Amino acid sequence: MEKSNITTIGSVVSAIVASLCCIGPVVALLLGIGSIGVFTAFEAYRPYFIGTTAVLLGLAFYLSYRKREVKCEDGTCKFESASKWNKLSVWLATILAAVAIAFPYLGITLHASTNENATAGATVVLNIEGMDCKACAFGIQGTLSRIAGVHRATVQYEKGNAIVDYDPALVQPKTLIDHVEEIGFKAKPAETKPETLQRK
């Protein structure tokens, strides 16, 4: 494998790891995997991974576009750069890396998740700590919505809370808090009354 291919692959991997704090919860929710809070640990290292991505992409471009001298059997020399497919792969890797790095800022829109099989008899507001982007809120909302007895869940990243309509005969706020904490976040009942909050 050519050096430019190695650096290209490395840059994409580094970009994905840089945004794993936000990509991870979405993938985990879609796959039905439990703990999503573990991905928040990557947030602290995000600048380093982004820097690594930039260095590796720069190296990949250099290796792909530099003119290399090739000696032929008859003793003549010619200069050539990497193949067009190699150059194309570097540009595709750049686009993929840019999307991965920009993922936390792409504006995931959350709508309340409703479970028609449960009836809402009570509402609780939970303060949630540990979210670092809307993808975390997306994962928490999906987790809450799957709990038996939850009619509707809305998680608001900007406000750091969850508004949950539930059937008190089937589930209690303590169970909701336990589920949030099982996936790696901290939750506690808010002092704010549910009727004073607006859902998105």
Side-chain angles (χ1 to χ4, degrees):
M1 185 179 285
E2 286 188 29
K3 288 180 183 178
S4 60
N5 290 337
I6 294 170
T7 54
T8 300
I9 293 168
S11 64
V12 173
V13 170
S14 181
I16 291 171
V17 173
S19 296
L20 205 53
C21 56
C22 294
I23 294 172
V26 174
V27 173
L29 179 66
L30 294 175
L31 296 177
I33 299 171
S35 181
I36 60 175
V38 70
F39 295 108
T40 60
F42 288 93
E43 176 66 19
Y45 303 102
R46 182 171 162 75
Y48 302 108
F49 285 116
I50 291 174
T52 302
T53 300
V55 169
L56 290 174
L57 279 174
L59 187 57
F61 272 103
Y62 169 74
L63 293 172
S64 295
Y65 283 89
R66 70 179 174 152
K67 298 291 185 185
R68 293 176 289 183
E69 185 178 6
V70 178
K71 293 188 177 179
C72 302
E73 291 179 8
D74 61 1
T76 60
C77 298
K78 64 178 183 176
F79 292 91
E80 63 178 31
S81 59
S83 69
K84 65 178 182 179
W85 295 112
N86 193 299
K87 292 175 183 177
L88 180 62
S89 70
V90 172
W91 280 104
L92 290 175
T94 302
I95 293 168
L96 185 57
V99 170
I101 290 171
F103 185 82
Y105 313 104
L106 293 180
I108 296 172
T109 304
L110 294 176
H111 300 287
S113 299
T114 305
N115 179 359
E116 301 299 336
N117 296 326
T119 55
T123 301
V124 66
V125 179
L126 302 175
N127 287 333
I128 299 175
E129 295 178 16
M131 294 188 290
D132 35 45
C133 68
K134 288 184 179 180
C136 293
F138 182 77
I140 295 168
Q141 183 170 293
T143 298
L144 289 170
S145 300
R146 288 196 298 259
I147 299 171
V150 171
H151 173 66
R152 182 169 62 166
T154 306
V155 178
Q156 302 176 111
Y157 164 68
E158 294 83 2
K159 296 180 179 178
N161 68 23
I163 306 170
V164 185
D165 299 328
Y166 64 98
D167 183 343
L170 298 174
V171 67
Q172 292 298 313
K174 171 80 167 78
T175 305
L176 304 176
I177 291 169
D178 289 344
H179 275 77
V180 171
E181 292 188 347
E182 279 174 16
I183 60 172
F185 299 90
K186 291 186 178 181
K188 63 181 180 180
E191 294 178 8
T192 308
K193 293 185 178 179
E195 55 270 16
T196 64
L197 295 174
Q198 288 185 340
R199 294 179 190 268
K200 289 185 178 180

